[in-house]
Structures are given as structure tokens and as C-alpha cells.
Amino acid sequence: MRRKHLREIRRIDKLVYPRPWSMALYLDELQRGGERVYRVACTPGSDGRPSGVIGYGGFMIVAGEGHITSVAVHPHCQGQRVGARMMLELHREARRIDGLQALTLEVRSSNAAAQRLYRWFGYAPVGTRENYYRGGPGGKREDALVMWCHDIDSPSHGERLDDIATALGITEGGSGAALGITEGGSDTAMGVQ
């Protein structure tokens, strides 16, 4: 994720979140370098280079653990496994970080589809945060389910990711190339950044 992506990311946020992040918050996250990992998923342009942003995700690193802060996909692209490919990229990146052993996240208690996705990656529910989310159905606050994925550095988690990649039709070489995920430091034709 780079500054040039933020306008499109904020458009997605406004479509999928009742309380989207501010531009200032995104800019602060991008300045945190090694403490944060963010990627964007792009559609391929006519020249094969990444074009419009269709999704994004990222995590922060705190005390040897990663906290997934956000995964979002444009509503027109939901159901196309963009979120699954984004999670695969984030997990693979987390495994490359020395000493990172677990990932955690919060998900709306009503979001069954996201919970299924996270369970596929090995997350298990460990508790709830009452009234965590604002702007739930009918404008009410909604509980968050807290989920953890431990031992992400283990061989068995690597095997799980390989199985997921196979199920997604991704060949060896990464989720990025098949999704348009580009590394944050350069513009490439991969699509996930």
C-alpha cells in the first residue's frame, strides 16, 4: 500500500464500513514502516500493470504478534475470493517476519462469511468484545468476536497455506501474482501491493 492508493482505499472504506478510517490515520500507518504491513489488490490494466484498487488488508506488529487491522474488498468484487487471496498474502508475509508467532483480529459477530474465511486460515474464537463496533444493523452497536491464529511460524501452518493456495488455484510463486498484489515498495504487474 502506498499513498497513491489511499483515495481508492477510502472509497472502498466508505462502501463497506460505517466508520471508515480517516486519511490522517492511513498516512500515519504508512509512516510506521516495519511495524505495519499493508497490501492492496488491484485489477490488471490494459498494459498488464496494476490498475484500480479492489481490496486491501494489513496488520500491525506488537510484541511478537500481528494484529490484522483491516481486510476490505470492494462490494462489486466480493464473492470472488479477493479477501481469501489477501489473507493468504498477509499470512505469507507474517511468516517471513522473524519471531512473529501469532495473528489476531476482531470480526463482527454477525459476519458469518468473514468468520468462515478466518477459520479456514486457522483462526479460532477466544472471546468477545461487547459493543465493539458502532453502526451495526439498525445503527446499534455490535459485539466483536476475537479470533487468534497461533503457531503461524510452524510447518503445519505453512502446509495449511499451501492447501489454501491450491484451493484458490494459485501456483507456487505467491498469491500476489494471481491477484494483482504488489509489494509496498515498488509498482509491479503483480496486482497486490
Side-chain angles (χ1 to χ4, degrees), residues 37-58:
V37 174
Y38 285 97
R39 299 290 183 262
V40 298
C42 299
T43 57
S46 59
D47 61 357
R49 293 178 54 85
S51 184
V53 175
I54 59 172
Y56 69 91

Side-chain angles (χ1 to χ4, degrees), residues 3-174:
R3 185 181 180 123
K4 70 179 184 177
H5 300 118
L6 294 182
R7 187 173 304 191
E8 290 180 274
I9 287 167
R10 294 202 65 237
R11 281 190 203 120
I12 293 171
D13 274 3
K14 291 174 183 175
L15 294 170
V16 300
Y17 292 126
R19 295 180 52 96
W21 284 10
S22 68
M23 181 65 82
L25 182 55
Y26 277 112
L27 291 170
D28 183 61
E29 288 292 290
L30 291 179
Q31 291 177 5
R32 294 183 178 260
E35 301 172 356
R36 305 290 193 268
V37 174
Y38 285 97
R39 299 290 183 262
V40 298
C42 299
T43 57
S46 59
D47 61 357
R49 293 178 54 85
S51 184
V53 175
I54 59 172
Y56 69 91
F59 62 89
M60 68 171 69
I61 302 163
V62 180
E65 298 168 346
H67 183 144
I68 294 186
T69 56
S70 189
V71 174
V73 176
H74 192 288
H76 291 128
C77 299
Q78 291 176 0
Q80 298 174 22
R81 299 195 135 180
V82 174
R85 290 169 181 259
M86 184 62 62
M87 286 294 293
L88 180 61
E89 179 68 18
L90 293 176
H91 273 250
R92 285 182 169 170
E93 185 63 30
R95 286 176 55 82
R96 288 190 276 275
I97 298 171
D98 190 39
L100 197 62
Q101 300 174 356
L103 288 167
T104 185
L105 54 79
E106 293 92 8
V107 59
R108 285 183 184 272
S109 59
S110 64
N111 193 341
Q115 291 173 36
R116 279 191 304 277
L117 173 66
Y118 301 143
R119 282 186 173 96
W120 193 26
F121 279 85
Y123 289 82
V126 297
T128 59
R129 296 189 199 282
E130 291 185 22
N131 299 314
Y132 184 78
Y133 291 107
R134 294 186 199 173
K140 295 181 183 178
R141 285 188 169 273
E142 186 174 354
D143 293 348
L145 184 63
V146 179
M147 302 181 81
W148 279 88
C149 182
H150 293 282
D151 301 323
I152 64 165
D153 57 345
S154 71
S156 63
H157 192 71
E159 291 168 10
R160 176 188 291 267
L161 297 181
D162 291 344
D163 290 345
I164 290 170
T166 299
L168 293 172
I170 298 170
T171 58
E172 190 62 34

